Amino acid sequence: MQFVITEEHEMIRKAARDFAINDCLPGVIERDEHQRFPIEQIRRLAELGFMGMMVDPQYGGSGLDSISYVLAMEEISKVDASVSVCMSVNNSLVCWGLDTYGTVEQKSKYLTPLAQGMKDNELYIGAFLLSEPEAGSDATSQHTVAEDKGDHYLLNGAKNWITNGGTASVYLVIAQTDHSKGSRGINAFIVEKNWPGVTVGPKENKMGIRASDTHPIMFQDVKVPKENRIGEDGFGFKFAMNTLNGGRIGIAAQALGIASGAYERSLAYARERKAFGKRLADHQAIQFKLADMATRIEAARLLCYKAAWEKDMGQDYATSSAMAKVFASETAMWTTTEAVQVHGGYGYVKEYHVERLMRDAKITQIYEGTSEVQRMVISRAALK
Ligand code: CAA
């Protein structure tokens, strides 16, 4: 692995950090408590060019590399993981999939406004619809069906836990088209939220990333034009897996940011709080916790950079992204739990932020493939 963090990368990191401190920190506790979607923050992200960071400028993107995306995700996630998950889904699950596999027409019509995050001065973002009530980790077991009707498909079924579900204008929907072909009988479709037959269910009341917008989505006899299928017939499962390989780098970077945010807050608190006549920072029990946090976070960061670098180099990054995600998300869960411990009673109340970071960390072990799924991906590659 040979990569350098360039001056341009540092500029991206600074822009993301300034955005996190100036635009996300004010109101983050209140948005979490009331599950209020961070619409102003997402609009600002769109202005910064962070909603389509890796998309070709020809299609409204910023044309940046994956390392830039990881740096931005880390900085924003230190402060507000509800903002960063919205950004991550739009960047790596929606825009990347369309940019890589979409037709010129699909890109002009959908990718350009999605990468800009805006259309006609309104927010315009996307969502990725793979999970179902009975198909989470077992993603090939799709019950949503798209029946081939000649010039269109007829879509019926239900999707669950959809990030950006209520706010998105465009859905990338994975559905079964031929049960007899297993994972090769699955297709991916571009579906507009306002088409007849699309229903958005109630917002989920979640443990963490509470300000993010998570809904079930139902389809009843939705007519999807043939030209809205992504890729060749039967490519949908590969599309989903390839897209998730990159998505997992984004979530790994989110977990890295959550862990780093908890660590930075623990350092500051240990320097200021006194117990038994000296600062917490002067107690070895706390020093060792801080040392372990710093070490695990650095290891997670290097795994994230490695996966991003491999992606930028055009190498196979499926295993690296799974390693980055499983390690970073477990680091986030461990670090945030320890951060609450370092803060003691103050850690258990909202003002010190670490209890929220601990709740937010949990989802990084679940979405875009649970830790168990990442271990399946890693061990299958190792044993092949
Ligand atoms: N990259 C590329 N291809 C992959 C792949 C990967 N990571 N994982 C599997 N595939 C391919 C296989 O090579 C195989 O291809 P062939 O047919 O050419 O051989 C095909 O996909 C089927 O794979 P398997 O036979 O291994 O299928 P399986 O049913 O045994 O299990 C799995 C596959 C890895 C468990 C997969 O189902 C999986 O990743 N599940 C987790 C799904 C997931 O991540 N969901 C997240 C939902 S999205 C979300 O959370 C978004 C959000 O809102 C935040």
Side-chain angles (χ1 to χ4, degrees):
M1 177 171 59
Q2 276 185 322
F3 71 82
V4 278
I5 300 294
T6 62
E7 248 176 65
E8 190 188 14
H9 287 136
E10 288 301 350
M11 281 165 59
I12 303 286
R13 195 203 312 260
K14 183 172 181 319
R17 188 165 182 79
D18 289 349
F19 162 74
I21 302 294
N22 299 329
D23 296 275
C24 297
L25 190 55
V28 63
I29 294 175
E30 190 267 334
R31 288 194 301 275
D32 170 77
E33 190 158 354
H34 299 292
Q35 301 203 89
R36 194 158 58 74
F37 184 72
I39 188 140
E40 299 84 8
Q41 287 72 18
I42 303 302
R43 276 180 166 271
R44 179 83 189 107
L45 274 182
E47 285 165 14
L48 285 167
F50 278 13
M51 292 304 274
M53 288 186 80
M54 295 164 289
V55 174
D56 190 331
Q58 184 192 348
Y59 292 110
S62 299
L64 295 166
D65 61 10
S66 306
I67 302 264
S68 303
Y69 172 55
V70 163
L71 294 171
M73 279 296 295
E74 179 183 351
E75 290 306 324
I76 296 165
S77 306
K78 283 181 187 176
V79 176
D80 192 340
S82 291
V83 169
S84 68
V85 70
C86 172
M87 169 179 156
S88 178
V89 166
N90 200 66
N91 270 278
S92 41
L93 295 188
V94 178
C95 287
W96 186 86
L98 284 175
D99 200 14
T100 309
Y101 300 111
T103 60
V104 171
E105 292 73 25
Q106 289 171 348
K107 290 189 199 188
S108 305
K109 184 167 178 191
Y110 295 108
L111 178 60
T112 301
L114 284 166
Q116 290 169 340
M118 301 293 280
K119 188 177 173 185
D120 302 331
N121 214 27
E122 294 291 328
L123 202 64
Y124 193 88
I125 61 174
F128 184 80
L129 283 66
L130 172 66
S131 302
E132 299 189 349
E134 291 173 69
S137 291
D138 185 8
T140 51
S141 165
Q142 294 286 307
H143 288 68
T144 297
V145 171
E147 210 183 325
D148 191 338
K149 294 285 188 186
D151 66 336
H152 68 273
Y153 287 90
L154 208 55
L155 185 66
N156 280 286
K159 297 287 177 179
N160 250 22
W161 311 293
I162 304 306
T163 305
N164 299 345
T167 322
S169 304
V170 172
Y171 298 145
L172 302 191
V173 183
I174 311 299
Q176 192 83 53
T177 44
D178 186 345
H179 269 290
S180 68
K181 292 186 180 157
S183 70
R184 288 159 195 234
I186 290 174
N187 275 293
F189 302 95
I190 306 167
V191 175
E192 296 183 29
K193 184 174 73 180
N194 59 12
W195 282 352
V198 178
T199 308
V200 179
K203 185 166 176 161
E204 300 289 356
N205 187 358
K206 307 192 295 290
M207 170 198 269
I209 54 161
R210 286 173 55 78
S212 73
D213 187 36
T214 314
H215 294 256
I217 312 289
M218 282 72 74
F219 303 105
Q220 191 177 7
D221 291 336
V222 178
K223 272 177 92 169
V224 182
K226 268 267 159 84
E227 64 264 24
N228 276 32
R229 190 185 74 208
I230 304 172
E232 292 296 305
D233 186 23
F235 181 64
F237 194 71
K238 273 278 163 109
F239 169 83
M241 292 296 112
N242 292 345
T243 303
L244 278 163
N245 288 335
R248 289 166 184 168
I249 300 175
I251 299 305
Q254 181 189 44
L256 169 65
I258 293 171
S260 304
Y263 168 64
E264 287 176 8
R265 288 186 179 278
S266 301
L267 275 182
Y269 186 77
R271 286 195 181 105
E272 119 206 342
R273 171 80 171 170
K274 288 210 169 101
F276 302 102
K278 54 185 182 182
R279 300 178 318 157
L280 288 189
D282 297 320
H283 290 273
Q284 196 178 56
I286 302 297
Q287 291 167 352
F288 282 10
K289 280 191 198 301
L290 296 173
D292 286 345
M293 287 182 191
T295 307
R296 292 188 196 199
I297 289 169
E298 193 60 15
R301 184 174 289 119
L302 290 173
L303 281 173
C304 286
Y305 288 179
K306 178 170 187 279
W309 180 80
E310 283 180 4
K311 181 164 178 282
D312 289 338
M313 291 296 113
Q315 298 178 9
D316 182 350
Y317 53 94
T319 306
S320 296
S321 71
M323 286 180 175
K325 182 175 182 290
V326 68
F327 191 83
S329 62
E330 293 187 357
T331 297
M333 200 65 245
W334 181 82
T335 304
T336 53
T337 308
E338 288 296 84
V340 171
Q341 195 69 16
V342 168
H343 283 74
Y346 288 111
Y348 204 66
V349 296
K350 295 196 184 291
E351 292 88 307
Y352 281 75
H353 296 272
V354 285
E355 66 81 35
R356 176 174 49 82
L357 291 168
M358 181 177 161
R359 287 186 285 105
D360 288 352
K362 187 62 206 169
I363 191 61
T364 65
Q365 295 178 300
I366 298 172
Y367 57 23
E368 300 204 22
T370 61
S371 292
E372 291 74 16
V373 163
Q374 308 312 321
R375 289 187 168 92
M376 282 169 74
V377 172
I378 297 162
S379 59
R380 282 181 186 183
L383 293 166
K384 201 157 69 179

